[in-house]
Amino acid sequence: MRKGEETRAKILDAAEAAVLAKGFGGTSIDELIVETGITKSGFFYHFRDKNELAKALLERYIENDERIYDEIFGRARELADDPLQAFLIGLKLLAELLSDLPNGHPGCLVATMCTQERAFDREIQEMNRQAALMWRRRFAAMFRDIMQVYRPREALDADQLADMVSTVLEGGIVLSKALKEPQSLPDQLLVFRSFVRLLFQPAA
C-alpha cells in the first residue's frame, strides 16, 4: 500500500471508530487530525469535507460486509450442495466469526447513519437504502433457492425472511452493547439459524 493510501486508510479507521463510539455529529475533523497525526491540509487532500468522509466510510463498510458475506456463504456452498444446509452452515460460520471478536462487534455504520440520517445529504441516505436492499436481494435469493427444494411450514415471503437476517444482526449488535455481553450477537444468530431449520423441517 502506498503512503497516500495508508494515510487515507488511517483517517478512515480513526473516523469509523469515532463515529461508532459517539456518532457522526460528535466526531470532528480536528480530532481526527490529532488522532492520525496529519496536517489539516493533509486531511483535506483526501476528503473535501465531512460529508465526503462519511461517503467514503460507508462505501468501505458496505464493501467489507459484502466481501465477508461472499467468503462465508461461498465457503458454505462449497461444503453443501443442498441450499438449506448451505445456508445453515453459512449462518454457523458467520456466528463463529462474530464470536472471535475479542471485544464484540464494534457497531454498524449503516445503522448508525440511518439513526442520524438528518446529518447526511440525500446521496448518503440513498447509499444506506441501497445497502439494505442489496442485502435483502442477497439473502432472498438464498431463501428462494431453499424454497425450490423445501416447502416452509408457514407461508412466509422470501424478502421478509431476508430482512430478518439484517434485523437479527443489527438487533444483536444493539443487544450485545446494551447488555455488555458480546456473545449475545452470535447467540442471536444461532437462534435465527434454529428458526430457519424448523421453518423448513417437514411437518411430522
Side-chain angles (χ1 to χ4, degrees):
M1 187 182 289
R2 291 176 297 182
K3 185 175 180 180
E5 294 172 341
E6 289 178 358
T7 301
R8 180 181 173 87
K10 193 175 179 181
I11 296 169
L12 289 172
D13 288 343
E16 182 171 328
V19 170
L20 290 174
K22 56 188 177 180
F24 194 71
T27 300
S28 70
I29 291 175
D30 286 340
E31 73 174 278
L32 296 178
I33 289 170
V34 171
E35 176 71 21
T36 56
I38 63 171
T39 62
K40 184 167 283 192
S41 61
F43 177 90
F44 288 113
Y45 172 81
H46 293 283
F47 304 103
R48 183 176 63 251
D49 52 30
K50 204 175 172 186
N51 199 71
E52 188 173 294
L53 172 65
K55 181 181 176 183
L57 276 174
L58 192 55
E59 285 175 341
R60 187 178 76 154
Y61 186 86
I62 292 169
E63 287 172 4
N64 188 55
D65 264 18
E66 281 292 280
R67 177 186 57 77
I68 291 171
Y69 289 150
D70 283 344
E71 291 175 358
I72 286 179
F73 288 96
R75 177 60 178 152
R77 286 191 297 272
E78 292 173 357
L79 294 172
D81 293 328
D82 180 278
L84 176 58
Q85 293 308 312
F87 186 69
L88 295 175
I89 290 171
L91 292 178
K92 178 70 171 176
L93 293 173
L94 183 56
E96 289 176 354
L97 176 67
L98 294 171
S99 292
D100 284 341
L101 298 175
N103 299 311
H105 196 288
C108 176
L109 274 178
V110 171
T112 298
M113 291 185 175
C114 277
T115 58
Q116 303 172 22
E117 70 170 11
R118 288 168 62 179
F120 306 105
D121 65 16
R122 290 183 180 178
E123 181 182 12
I124 292 188
Q125 293 174 25
E126 182 61 18
M127 283 175 63
N128 248 332
R129 178 175 174 273
Q130 289 302 322
L133 290 173
M134 178 172 59
W135 292 324
R136 174 188 287 174
R137 289 191 294 269
R138 172 189 285 274
F139 293 113
M142 296 182 195
F143 279 115
R144 290 191 182 98
D145 287 343
I146 293 170
M147 289 174 181
Q148 291 292 318
V149 181
Y150 298 88
R151 177 179 294 179
R153 301 181 72 172
E154 297 286 339
L156 296 175
D157 181 78
D159 283 350
Q160 293 171 337
L161 286 169
D163 287 344
M164 277 192 72
V165 181
S166 294
T167 301
V168 169
L169 287 167
E170 302 299 342
I173 292 171
V174 172
L175 184 67
S176 66
K177 288 186 173 301
L179 297 176
K180 301 191 185 309
E181 296 175 359
Q183 189 60 33
S184 294
L185 172 56
D187 284 350
Q188 287 300 303
L189 196 57
L190 292 176
V191 170
F192 176 69
R193 180 175 181 266
S194 296
F195 164 76
V196 172
R197 184 193 294 113
L198 291 170
L199 178 63
F200 292 100
Q201 179 177 302

